[in-house]
C-alpha cells in the first residue's frame, strides 16, 4: 500500500466500510495545498483491492495536476467504491458514502465519475454538503467536459496536421458514455467521419445508427486506420500491448489515466503519435464545477473551458522546444504550479 502512495505521491488514504450497506470505499487525497481536494466518485466492480487502490491514487494525482494546470484553487482527490457483487440497496450505499465524505470535514469534495450518476449524488447530498454536481445545485459537468475536449481536439489538429477543424478527418471514439456520446454528436455536426466503439455493443450500434456511421467491437478499435483516436472510457488503454496496434497520428481523449504507465508516453512519441495529456483535455468539467460554485454565468464558464485549447497549444509548443513528450511537459508544469501557488494566483486574476 505505501509503495503505491509513494509512487503517486498521495498524501492521505482513507478507508471506509459499512457492513449494513456493503460499502467498501477508498478516498485518496493527493494534495490540499491550493484548496480542498475535489474529485469524483468512481463505482466499479473492481477485481481486487490492489486494483482499486492503484486506481484511486492515480486518479487523485491526476485531479491535482488538472486543477493546477487550470489555475483553480483546488487540490486533488478521488474516491472509489468497490461495487458489491451481491444485490444491494444503491441509495443506502451512497448515503453511507455520503457519511464517509462528511467525516473528512470538507477537505474532500465529491462529484460524478464512472459508475456514479446524478441520482446517486442526490443520495450523497442528504448526508453531506461537500458534493458538487447533483440535482440540487444544477451543475452537470459532462457537457463542459465534452466542450473542453473538443477545444483540445482542435488545438491538437492544428499542431499535428497544420489545419483547422475536424471536417473530413476520420476519428475513432472509444467509449460512448455521457462525454463520449456528446463528442460523437459534436464531431458528426462538424463533418468528421466516425468509427464508434463501446463495451456495450448495443449502445454503440444505437448511436452509430443515429449518426449513420460505423461501429466496431470495443477491442477492434485499436486496429482501425484513422487520423485521430479518442479514448473516452476508462484508463490504462494506452499500453505496451495496444500502442503498437494504433494507426492514428493524434490521440485526444476524455478518459482519465489513459496511459498505463509513464513509459507509454515515450512509446507513443517513438511511433510519432501525438498524445495530448488527458487531465488537460478533460478539465472542462472541473472548471465548470468550480466556476459554477462561485456562481459565474454560463458565458464565463464556457470561455474559461474553451481556454483549454489555448493552454494545450502553448504546452505542445513548449514540449517541442524542450524535446519532451506532452505528458512530461504537462507533469512538469503542474508540479511547478502545485509548489509555487500559481494556481491560486491564476484564479484570483480570473
Amino acid at each position: 500500500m505505501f509503495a503505491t502512495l509513494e509512487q503517486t505521491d498521495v498524501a492521505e488514504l482513507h478507508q471506509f466500510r459499512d457492513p449494513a450497506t456493503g460499502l467498501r470505499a477508498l478516498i485518496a487525497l493527493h494534495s490540499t495545498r491550493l484548496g480542498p481536494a475535489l474529485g469524483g466518485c468512481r463505482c466499479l466492480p473492481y477485481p481486487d483491492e490492489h486494483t482499486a487502490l492503484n486506481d484511486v491514487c492515480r486518479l487523485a494525482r491526476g485531479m491535482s495536476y488538472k486543477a493546477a494546470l487550470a489555475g483553480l484553487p483546488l487540490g486533488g482527490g478521488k474516491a472509489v467504491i468497490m461495487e458489491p457483487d451481491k444485490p444491494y440497496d444503491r441509495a443506502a450505499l451512497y448515503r453511507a458514502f455520503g457519511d464517509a465524505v462528511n467525516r473528512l470535514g470538507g477537505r474532500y469534495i465529491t462529484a460524478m465519475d464512472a459508475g456514479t450518476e446524478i441520482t446517486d449524488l442526490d443520495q450523497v447530498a442528504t448526508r453531506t454538503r461537500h458534493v458538487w454536481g447533483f440535482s440540487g445545485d444544477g451543475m452537470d459537468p459532462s457537457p463542459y467536459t465534452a466542450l473542453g475536449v473538443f477545444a483540445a481536439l482542435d488545438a491538437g489538429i492544428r499542431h499535428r496536421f497544420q489545419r483547422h477543424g475536424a471536417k473530413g478527418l476520420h476519428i475513432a471514439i472509444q467509449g460512448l458514455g455521457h462525454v463520449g456520446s456528446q463528442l460523437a454528436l459534436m464531431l458528426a455536426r462538424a463533418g468528421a467521419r466516425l468509427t464508434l466503439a463501446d463495451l456495450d455493443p448495443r449502445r454503440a450500434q444505437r448511436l452509430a445508427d443515429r449518426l449513420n456511421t460505423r461501429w466496431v467491437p470495443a477491442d477492434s478499435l485499436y486496429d482501425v486506420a484513422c487520423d485521430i483516436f479518442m479514448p473516452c472510457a476508462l484508463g490504462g488503454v494506452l499500453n505496451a500491448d495496444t500502442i503498437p496496434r494504433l494507426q492514428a497520428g493524434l490521440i485526444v481523449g476524455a478518459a482519465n489515466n489513459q496511459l498505463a504507465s509513464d513509459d507509454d508516453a515515450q512509446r507513443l512519441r517513438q511511433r510519432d503519435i501525438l498524445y495530448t495529456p488527458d487531465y488537460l483535455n478533460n478539465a472542462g468539467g472541473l472548471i465548470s464545477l468550480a466556476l459554477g460554485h462561485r456562481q459565474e454565468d454560463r458565458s464565463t464558464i464556457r470561455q474559461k473551458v474553451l481556454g483549454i485549447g489555448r493552454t494545450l497549444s502553448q504546452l505542445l509548443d513548449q514540449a517541442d522546444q524542450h524535446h519532451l513528450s506532452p505528458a512530461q511537459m504537462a507533469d512538469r508544469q503542474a508540479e511547478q504550479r502545485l509548489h509555487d501557488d500559481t494556481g491560486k494566483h491564476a484564479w484570483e486574476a480570473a
Side-chain angles (χ1 to χ4, degrees), residues 159 259 262-270 272-277 279 312-336:
H159 194 89
L259 301 175
D262 293 339
D263 294 337
D264 294 311
Q266 191 59 29
R267 289 190 178 97
L268 289 167
R269 192 164 179 240
Q270 289 168 351
D272 193 29
I273 299 174
L274 178 61
Y275 167 77
T276 60
Y279 58 78
L312 177 59
S313 291
Q314 294 167 2
L315 185 142
L316 293 175
D317 288 341
Q318 291 165 352
D320 286 347
Q321 292 167 14
H322 290 86
H323 305 290
L324 295 172
S325 72
Q328 290 171 316
M329 195 73 224
D331 286 355
R332 178 179 292 187
Q333 291 186 2
E335 287 162 5
Q336 181 179 354

Side-chain angles (χ1 to χ4, degrees), residues 249-330:
L250 172 65
I251 298 176
V252 182
N256 289 310
N257 293 341
Q258 294 166 28
L259 301 175
S261 72
D262 293 339
D263 294 337
D264 294 311
Q266 191 59 29
R267 289 190 178 97
L268 289 167
R269 192 164 179 240
Q270 289 168 351
R271 289 208 57 209
D272 193 29
I273 299 174
L274 178 61
Y275 167 77
T276 60
D278 48 33
Y279 58 78
L280 176 52
N281 302 340
N282 64 20
L286 177 66
I287 292 169
S288 73
L289 289 175
L291 288 173
H293 190 71
R294 205 170 73 165
Q295 298 184 326
E296 298 284 0
D297 60 57
R298 291 186 180 181
S299 177
T300 299
I301 296 173
R302 181 180 175 83
Q303 290 306 309
K304 178 75 171 176
V305 171
L306 289 173
I308 288 172
R310 293 188 297 273
T311 301
L312 177 59
S313 291
Q314 294 167 2
L315 185 142
L316 293 175
D317 288 341
Q318 291 165 352
D320 286 347
Q321 292 167 14
H322 290 86
H323 305 290
L324 295 172
S325 72
Q328 290 171 316
M329 195 73 224

Side-chain angles (χ1 to χ4, degrees), residues 34-153:
L34 298 180
L38 174 64
C41 171
R42 179 167 288 192
C43 181
L44 297 173
Y46 288 97
D48 52 59
E49 294 174 5
H50 176 75
T51 304
L53 171 65
N54 186 61
D55 203 25
V56 76
C57 289
R58 293 191 70 208
L59 289 166
R61 179 179 63 182
M63 291 303 299
S64 279
Y65 288 6
K66 185 184 302 189
L69 281 187
L72 300 176
L74 295 167
K78 208 74 174 183
V80 301
I81 295 175
M82 299 183 68
E83 187 174 18
D85 55 7
K86 298 178 181 178
Y88 65 97
D89 183 332
R90 190 174 181 90
L93 185 83
Y94 275 92
R95 286 194 295 270
F97 173 68
D99 290 334
V101 171
N102 204 49
R103 286 176 208 155
L104 297 180
R107 297 175 59 246
Y108 167 68
I109 302 167
T110 198
M112 190 163 60
D113 203 321
T116 293
E117 303 289 342
I118 290 178
T119 52
D120 300 321
L121 294 183
D122 290 343
Q123 296 297 325
V124 174
T126 65
R127 301 302 179 96
T128 183
R129 61 187 179 88
H130 306 301
V131 52
W132 291 359
F134 67 107
S135 297
D137 62 21
M139 296 188 295
D140 179 3
S142 60
Y144 291 103
T145 301
L147 179 65
V149 175
F150 194 83
L153 177 64

